[in-house]
Amino acid sequence: MKVKPGFKRILLLLLLIYFALMLQVRSGSGGSGQEKFSRMSIPENFFPVSVWYTGGKVRAPMIEAVTASSRSEWKKDLEQIKKLGFNTVRCWVEWAYNEKEEGKYDFSSLQLLTELAAEVGLKVICQVYIDSAPEWVGKKYPDSAFVASNELRIHSQSSPGFCFDHPGVREKVLNFFREAARAVKGKPAFYGWDLWSEPHIINWSEVYHLGDLRYLMFCYCPSSQARFRDWLKKKYQSIDNLNEAWHRTYRDFQEVEPPRFGTILTYTDYVDWQEYISDKLAEDLALKARAIKEVFPESVVTSHSAIPGLFSRPSWDGTPDDRKMNDSVDYYGVSIYPKHAGAVRPWPPFFRAAGLDFVRSMSWMNGGFYVGELQAGYGVFGMKVSVPVTEQDLRDWIWSMMAYGARAVNIYAYYPMSSGYEAGGYGLVELDGKITPRAEESGRIARTIDRNMSLFLKARPPESEIAVVYNPLSHMVGGQQTFTSEGQPVGYNNLSESLQGVHRAFFERGLKVDFLHVRDLKERASRYRLIIVPYPVMISRPYVQDLIRYVEQGGTLLLEARAGWIDEKGLAFSVIPGGGLDKVLGCREAGLLPVQKTGKMVISQKHPALPWLSPGDVLDTVFFEETFELTDKKAVVLAESPEGKPMLVLAPHGRGQALIAGSFPGSAYHHFRNPNNGKFLAGLAEWLGIKPDAEVFTEPENSLIEWRWLNGQDYRLLFVFNRGEEDCSLNFRVESLWTAIDFRNLETGEKVPLSLEKGKLNFSLKLEPQGVRVFLLRKIK
């Protein structure tokens, strides 16, 4: 067929546009936005419950070579995994092993494992490790080594590999992903991928002893600096705009370098650098996801952080922003190691609950999260070992993940670590294959989940009426010069401690809360009747306006001290509270005193907003004591400093109302547990008529009981946990959604006796310490 010249020109234009777009994608060039991931059609009829196993007994990311005996030995292990009750095996591939020579790929171990999994009835999820790279990469691209802020060049020892910002390295990495996908495409047992385990700029390398941990940053190689400059060009548009923001005199963007230390002048450069890194990590993940989807679009792509982002901060070796990472894959998730060898003590219930609520909240767009790694056995770090992990631990932990809305649970690992400083630790079975009670209990639960898969897949946690705002910018007050009045580094971790303290106040009373990322304020704030902003000392001006709009439209807002002190450029607002919040709150800062350890804020009047407090009750304060001057006649003082100056102010604004506390009651509650701090925070819900979704009466009376719901169409799943250290008898009373209900223990199938009185369901049970029961409530039609 003869093609018309006009059509040729159009076709050529389209091809030019296509290649320009591909060039932009492959360059990874940044900007204030991140690389977008298009969530394609994925199978949502399967719930993986897996153990980490890749054939043989080598630890991840190492791989055992396929031998004549591999088929029989690996199949025996897989049959045992299936017999225990698991429906999936989570294997791995490693760049250093699977492409030892450039362009020569050996995925025989992955292919054999996938074939054997199909034979025994298991699905396969594959973890991809790029952080251990083959030696030829460094020889081919000598300028691709990671470079620290002090110009230290990191020589890869298999790990940490080479910088993904280098165009040549990036292309080789993405090719590796494509080839791995080709190796298993069309194999029915293969289900999905984890593209990046615990993302950071540098992984799996203890390099920080080579410099000062507080200030050593990555990466400063030529490619990383070029990519940062591209990001800056998109943000600032002109070099004059950047010079004004950074207080520099650059003539061209080619002269710009990332900051290496702080100065007294400005730290806008440091804020930009940290924001760029979080954008870059999310873009890198999206590029890896796209490489897989190009070849194997129906496979699920996931990734997971090292810990819930609530407990980390951006400056810790390029820690990702969990909310941004969720945009890059089908499911994002987390590693959960409650008895890690590095932990000072096992995770207490409040800590774990806050972390899981954070992970759940950051994954709202994806409808759930993946538990990429769940601790299987005791932790090891050299000569340091954790307390033992028991079958009761695994039972508690797995059901806790399910209760918070997990979409997969991957237990790390089947065999203990065979080598390295974790040797002997983290195994579900013994290294000689002996089955442990932990393995048997985990398998029983996995079988229950698999048997009731459709119930879990179609259920979601109920919506909350309370949100606690997560604003990562608050970590950056002062840039790299971040110290409190106590002389401690600010980010270690004042924001996290404030968030945890606020969360705990509600958790103790059975009130469910969401963590709301500031980037979601505009879209999601109106869902909540109460929003609390802990540690709001540094906040972007647009987000301040989102908060103001929330109050004007009828919301109730609580801010902690010095709200809007510093903006996103590191500039001080002219009035504190800043950005117009002073008009909302009907007051402005009048005085500020540092607190060496803890101070006092005294309730000054009985008020409906303080239903559980009386005049004279004392709240603990930390870091600052901020006092206010009232500027609106409608504003009222609810608490004062010991000297009688206003410290807690409530004011109406628009259709809503706002409060400001002149200290950090959340952080104080986290540290000192003054009951009045908890009564103040959770009392706001009582004032607004926000109630727990059930009434629980316990014996002993002070027992700590947690309950969570997952709601489906005409059914509900109820999880009840005894978080205390004593046996507990409890009576559970909840509003009934239906007049006729079938109520059963999900694990045993046994009917549970219950009564229906005045529209409320009542039932009783006994729970041992660390005990958990899972119930299914079905509407009888």
Side-chain angles (χ1 to χ4, degrees):
M1 183 180 72
K2 187 176 181 180
V3 180
K4 295 180 180 179
F7 181 80
K8 287 184 177 180
R9 287 193 293 269
I10 294 172
L11 181 60
L12 179 61
L13 178 60
L14 290 173
L15 286 171
L16 288 171
I17 292 172
Y18 170 79
F19 285 116
L21 288 171
M22 289 303 295
L23 181 63
Q24 182 179 2
V25 167
R26 296 191 179 195
S27 71
S29 57
S32 56
Q34 68 188 66
E35 186 68 42
K36 296 299 181 183
F37 170 75
S38 177
R39 186 180 169 91
M40 302 177 71
S41 176
I42 60 169
E44 294 187 343
N45 59 350
F46 185 68
F47 195 114
V49 187
S50 84
V51 290
W52 283 61
Y53 173 83
T54 207
K57 298 180 180 180
V58 293
R59 64 151 303 153
M62 297 175 179
I63 296 173
E64 183 178 288
V66 176
T67 66
S69 62
S70 294
R71 173 172 285 275
S72 59
E73 292 173 357
W74 296 6
K75 188 171 184 178
K76 182 180 177 182
D77 282 340
L78 292 173
E79 286 173 338
Q80 181 61 64
I81 290 168
K82 175 70 173 179
K83 182 180 177 181
L84 283 168
F86 298 97
N87 62 19
T88 304
V89 63
R90 183 176 178 123
C91 66
W92 54 88
V93 293
E94 180 201 35
W95 194 18
Y97 179 88
N98 296 104
E99 194 186 357
K100 293 176 182 176
E101 296 183 45
E102 182 181 359
K104 296 181 179 180
Y105 302 96
D106 178 8
F107 292 108
S108 57
S109 59
L110 172 62
Q111 291 169 321
L112 175 58
L113 190 83
T114 305
E115 292 168 8
L116 294 173
E119 292 176 15
V120 303
L122 292 169
K123 293 288 188 182
V124 175
I125 294 176
C126 183
Q127 177 72 60
V128 184
Y129 287 108
I130 297 300
D131 311 282
S132 48
E135 302 299 330
W136 62 261
V137 179
K139 293 178 181 178
K140 185 178 182 72
Y141 305 113
D143 56 342
S144 67
F146 289 103
V147 178
S149 49
N150 63 357
E151 292 297 332
L152 177 70
R153 186 174 182 271
I154 305 301
H155 297 269
S156 181
Q157 301 171 183
S158 185
S159 175
F162 303 92
C163 186
F164 188 75
D165 294 339
H166 189 286
V169 172
R170 185 187 312 120
E171 187 57 33
K172 295 300 180 183
V173 167
L174 297 180
N175 280 340
F176 181 79
F177 277 96
R178 295 183 189 103
E179 291 299 325
R182 290 187 182 101
V184 290
K185 181 175 173 60
K187 294 187 180 294
F190 195 88
Y191 182 73
W193 309 84
D194 188 304
L195 308 176
W196 200 350
S197 175
E198 303 180 351
H200 289 83
I201 298 297
I202 278 194
N203 272 13
W204 318 128
S205 299
E206 305 299 321
V207 300
Y208 286 94
H209 69 284
L210 302 174
D212 191 327
L213 176 60
R214 294 173 299 169
Y215 300 113
L216 201 62
M217 297 184 292
F218 289 94
C219 176
Y220 288 73
C221 75
S223 297
S224 290
Q225 295 199 45
R227 187 170 174 184
F228 181 47
R229 284 191 285 268
D230 287 343
W231 186 91
L232 292 171
K233 288 176 186 177
K234 290 186 177 181
K235 177 172 182 176
Y236 288 105
Q237 300 296 310
S238 74
I239 195 65
D240 290 338
N241 291 337
L242 181 137
N243 282 333
E244 182 179 357
W246 283 25
H247 193 69
R248 300 289 208 282
T249 56
Y250 295 125
R251 293 167 297 177
D252 186 86
F253 275 102
Q254 290 304 115
E255 298 178 5
V256 180
E257 292 189 354
R260 300 172 189 270
F261 52 84
T263 73
I264 200 172
L265 302 173
T266 179
Y267 55 90
T268 309
D269 52 357
Y270 177 76
V271 173
D272 281 340
W273 177 237
Q274 293 298 334
E275 184 71 14
Y276 155 75
I277 287 173
S278 70
D279 278 355
K280 167 198 145 48
L281 290 171
E283 289 173 3
D284 291 352
L285 181 57
L287 286 168
K288 294 171 182 179
R290 181 174 291 124
I292 290 287
K293 294 287 191 179
E294 287 173 7
V295 177
F296 199 168
E298 63 272 27
S299 59
V300 176
V301 292
T302 74
S303 177
H304 66 281
S305 285
I307 55 174
L310 174 67
F311 307 134
S312 64
R313 55 172 296 155
S315 61
W316 288 354
D317 188 21
T319 299
D321 184 319
D322 288 0
R323 175 64 186 84
K324 292 181 182 179
M325 300 297 271
N326 266 279
D327 284 345
S328 297
V329 284
D330 295 318
Y331 293 104
Y332 194 69
V334 69
S335 290
I336 299 290
Y337 287 87
K339 289 186 174 180
H340 195 282
V344 177
R345 60 184 183 279
W347 289 10
F350 307 102
F351 185 87
R352 190 190 337 155
L356 289 176
D357 264 332
F358 185 88
V359 174
R360 173 188 60 78
S361 297
M362 295 302 107
S363 67
W364 66 268
M365 282 192 69
N366 294 341
F369 60 94
Y370 265 40
V371 181
E373 301 175 37
L374 178 63
Q375 184 174 357
Y378 73 94
V380 178
F381 192 96
M383 284 292 290
K384 186 175 181 181
V385 298
S386 74
V387 294
V389 173
T390 67
E391 61 267 34
Q392 290 83 9
D393 287 330
L394 267 299
R395 177 173 173 78
D396 176 7
W397 299 346
I398 295 171
W399 283 127
S400 294
M401 304 303 112
M402 301 298 296
Y404 280 77
R407 287 337 230 189
V409 178
N410 300 276
I411 296 175
Y412 189 91
Y414 185 62
Y415 282 115
M417 302 299 96
S418 58
S419 63
Y421 54 71
E422 295 176 330
Y426 302 106
L428 192 64
V429 302
E430 303 295 350
L431 199 52
D432 64 359
K434 180 183 176 182
I435 302 302
T436 66
R438 298 190 311 280
E440 292 173 335
E441 182 61 26
S442 300
R444 276 194 291 268
I445 298 171
R447 192 177 293 110
T448 300
I449 295 169
D450 191 66
R451 187 172 60 244
N452 297 280
M453 187 181 297
S454 64
L455 295 177
F456 291 107
L457 288 171
K458 296 175 182 177
R460 296 290 186 272
E463 293 188 359
S464 174
E465 297 181 279
I466 305 166
V468 181
V469 170
Y470 173 66
N471 172 30
L473 193 62
S474 287
H475 285 297
M476 301 185 200
V477 177
Q480 290 164 286
Q481 277 61 46
T482 52
F483 294 88
T484 68
S485 56
E486 296 179 88
Q488 298 298 320
V490 164
Y492 195 83
N493 187 330
N494 291 343
L495 174 58
S496 177
E497 291 168 353
S498 290
L499 292 162
Q500 290 179 61
V502 172
H503 182 275
R504 177 170 183 157
F506 293 99
F507 175 85
E508 291 172 330
R509 293 162 176 83
L511 289 160
K512 308 303 187 288
V513 303
D514 291 343
F515 287 100
L516 180 63
H517 198 291
V518 284
R519 68 184 294 184
D520 293 323
L521 275 170
K522 181 175 292 186
E523 181 177 350
R524 295 180 65 81
S526 61
R527 295 169 173 261
Y528 303 100
R529 295 177 59 198
L530 172 63
I531 289 181
I532 299 174
V533 189
Y535 208 69
V537 290
M538 186 172 183
I539 187 166
S540 297
R541 291 175 186 265
Y543 297 143
V544 171
Q545 296 309 306
D546 290 336
L547 292 171
I548 292 173
R549 192 176 305 109
Y550 166 74
V551 177
E552 290 174 343
Q553 294 174 354
T556 298
L557 176 68
L558 169 64
L559 297 156
E560 288 191 322
R562 303 223 90 188
W565 171 16
I566 306 292
D567 72 5
E568 67 273 22
K569 296 179 180 179
L571 303 177
F573 284 93
S574 57
V575 175
I576 301 175
L581 288 171
D582 59 315
K583 303 294 191 299
V584 175
L585 293 157
C587 65
R588 61 181 290 167
E589 184 179 273
L592 185 71
L593 290 173
V595 175
Q596 289 301 312
K597 186 173 183 181
T598 180
K600 297 179 180 180
M601 179 164 57
V602 184
I603 301 301
S604 57
Q605 64 163 294
K606 189 67 179 175
H607 191 277
L610 308 173
W612 298 330
L613 295 171
S614 301
D617 287 343
V618 175
L619 277 65
D620 286 340
T621 59
V622 289
F623 306 138
F624 300 140
E625 286 185 355
E626 181 185 30
T627 55
F628 303 103
E629 168 193 342
L630 300 192
T631 57
D632 188 325
K633 293 179 180 179
K634 295 180 181 179
V636 295
V637 177
L638 303 183
E640 299 174 335
S641 68
E643 296 76 28
K645 297 179 181 179
M647 279 193 71
L648 178 60
V649 177
L650 165 66
H653 183 78
R655 301 200 305 270
Q657 54 210 334
L659 302 93
I660 186 165
S663 190
F664 304 97
S667 185
Y669 193 52
H670 173 78
H671 283 287
F672 308 116
R673 304 288 191 271
N674 181 343
N676 288 338
N677 285 55
K679 290 178 181 179
F680 162 61
L681 292 164
L684 297 174
E686 178 74 11
W687 170 44
L688 297 173
I690 303 172
K691 303 286 187 181
D693 53 21
E695 296 177 272
V696 180
F697 305 93
T698 64
E699 179 60 42
E701 188 176 350
N702 62 346
S703 300
L704 181 58
I705 299 297
E706 180 185 8
W707 67 93
R708 309 287 302 195
W709 296 94
L710 293 177
N711 295 337
Q713 182 69 38
D714 294 337
Y715 71 92
R716 305 182 80 186
L717 292 163
L718 171 63
F719 306 78
V720 185
F721 302 88
N722 181 0
R723 300 302 190 194
E725 299 178 357
E726 298 181 90
D727 289 334
C728 175
S729 299
L730 62 92
N731 179 261
F732 199 92
R733 187 178 302 164
V734 61
E735 200 79 30
S736 177
L737 300 180
W738 313 296
T739 55
I741 295 172
D742 182 64
F743 187 35
R744 296 179 183 270
N745 183 309
L746 185 72
E747 294 182 273
T748 66
E750 297 175 354
K751 275 198 168 187
V752 178
L754 79 162
S755 60
L756 183 60
E757 301 172 9
K758 297 180 179 179
K760 290 193 175 182
L761 294 175
N762 294 269
F763 70 94
S764 300
L765 72 150
K766 293 183 178 181
L767 279 176
E768 68 280 6
Q770 207 178 4
V772 54
R773 301 291 185 274
V774 185
F775 300 104
L776 171 63
L777 294 79
R778 278 190 186 274
K779 178 183 178 181
I780 299 177
K781 298 180 180 179

